Amino acid sequence: MVHFDIVTVFPDIIENYCNTSIIGRARKAEKVNISVHDLRSWTADKHRTVDDRVFGGGAGMLLKVAPLYKAIQALSEKSVAKGLTPRVVATVASGELFNQHKAELMASSTDVNYILLCGHYEGFDARVYEWVHEELTIGPYILTGGELPALIVIDSVTRLIPGVLGNSFSAQEETTFMPDQDGIAVLGEHPQFTSPAVFNFVDNNGTEQTRVVPEVLRSGNHKKIAEENQKQRSKSRLAL
Ligand SMILES: C[S@@+](CC[C@H](N)C(=O)[O-])C[C@H]1O[C@@H](n2cnc3c(N)ncnc32)[C@H](O)[C@@H]1O
């Protein structure tokens, strides 16, 4: 099983997503262990304060070091007690880029407990990084919090766990990403169609139009279908 502990100020965001559809079923089937924790449960004051102003000035609030430290300590100890290696991963806009290769590594690391820290406001008190093993970004843009990045990690990892997607899953046929010196070479998935085989509509000029699913895909000839699908895969590049 793959193990995640998520530390967030907004546990409902994580719980709602992770109780839905494929991830929800994977959780119920115990293919993945996702424990969601409210950072406020590691506060000691009456207002359960998790943030404060930045020393030296600057806009916005920062997540305080003490609750984060306590969360990391408690969840790391719990991991070790379960025989798992704790790995603290902070969601950070300037971190290392998360990609499919990392998702594959995480999906096969069943002896690790990933402790994902979701930042908010202006991020974390810098002293927290002393206890962080890895800083991950999901891309070159700034979000309001680390909840979406954490969910992206959980989602992309969980769907790779054997048995989560069932028989319909074929890794070879999915879009693949091959990083090289200049960027990422992308081999797209082939176009796919479902019923109806013939779709009629009237376009904006009032002309009747028809779109038909390619004959070969309806032929039942699996060899020809596989060849056609391979031929139709798109090639593109993502520049870094
Ligand atoms: C408003 S952001 C803070 C941005 C920070 N002041 C900076 O300049 O990098 C709040 C939190 O959202 C998360 N976050 C925002 N963009 C992200 C990204 N592209 N990848 C991963 N996490 C991100 C981080 O957890 C961050 O602490």
Side-chain angles (χ1 to χ4, degrees):
M1 184 152 48
V2 175
H3 302 264
F4 290 108
D5 275 307
I6 318 300
V7 180
T8 169
V9 189
F10 298 99
D12 289 352
I13 297 176
I14 308 287
E15 285 289 6
N16 286 341
Y17 188 87
C18 292
N19 284 334
T20 307
S21 187
I22 293 170
I23 310 300
R25 287 199 295 275
R27 231 176 153 183
K28 277 201 187 115
E30 300 191 358
K31 300 274 179 201
V32 62
N33 177 19
I34 303 167
S35 298
V36 187
H37 309 275
D38 188 339
L39 181 61
R40 291 179 202 283
S41 57
W42 283 287
T43 55
D45 64 310
K46 155 167 127 193
H47 299 292
R48 306 178 84 207
T49 312
V50 289
D51 60 320
D52 204 350
R53 288 189 298 271
V54 182
F55 276 117
M61 308 288 270
L62 274 184
L63 290 179
K64 289 162 74 67
V65 64
L68 285 162
Y69 174 77
K70 287 183 195 159
I72 292 168
Q73 288 296 112
L75 296 173
S76 298
E77 276 170 24
K78 201 182 79 182
S79 313
V80 172
K82 283 191 199 162
L84 299 167
T85 305
R87 186 155 182 89
V88 182
V89 179
T91 54
V92 181
S94 57
E96 201 183 321
L97 187 61
F98 182 70
N99 58 27
Q100 188 68 11
H101 178 62
K102 275 191 199 299
E104 284 162 9
L105 282 180
M106 290 172 84
S108 60
S109 302
T110 50
D111 55 346
V112 175
N113 186 39
Y114 292 101
I115 300 168
L116 298 187
L117 306 180
C118 303
H120 221 84
Y121 315 114
E122 284 312 309
F124 308 103
D125 181 307
R127 287 169 287 188
V128 161
Y129 295 107
E130 190 177 326
W131 308 294
V132 167
H133 300 110
E134 203 171 344
E135 297 170 33
L136 285 185
T137 179
I138 56 154
Y141 35 77
I142 310 281
L143 302 163
T144 57
E147 285 73 21
L148 284 175
L151 286 173
I152 283 169
V153 171
I154 294 169
D155 188 300
S156 56
V157 170
T158 302
R159 69 189 297 284
L160 291 172
I161 299 169
V164 167
L165 292 187
N167 292 334
S168 61
F169 176 60
S170 167
Q172 288 79 35
E173 288 176 8
E174 295 223 294
T175 298
T176 56
F177 308 92
M178 286 147 287
D180 57 32
Q181 279 174 330
D182 310 316
I184 301 173
V186 183
L187 180 61
E189 188 177 48
H190 57 78
Q192 298 182 92
F193 305 88
T194 184
S195 60
V198 179
F199 177 62
N200 298 313
F201 65 100
V202 177
D203 71 14
N204 292 342
N205 299 321
T207 309
E208 287 190 1
Q209 298 274 0
T210 299
R211 299 288 183 272
V212 182
V213 176
E215 181 68 41
V216 60
L217 300 182
R218 295 180 281 143
S219 67
N221 183 329
H222 295 294
K223 187 165 174 281
K224 278 199 171 149
I225 292 171
E227 281 166 7
E228 176 64 14
N229 283 342
Q230 202 52 37
K231 212 164 73 189
Q232 293 298 333
R233 295 187 76 165
S234 61
K235 286 186 179 155
S236 59
R237 292 195 67 77
L238 285 173
L240 288 182

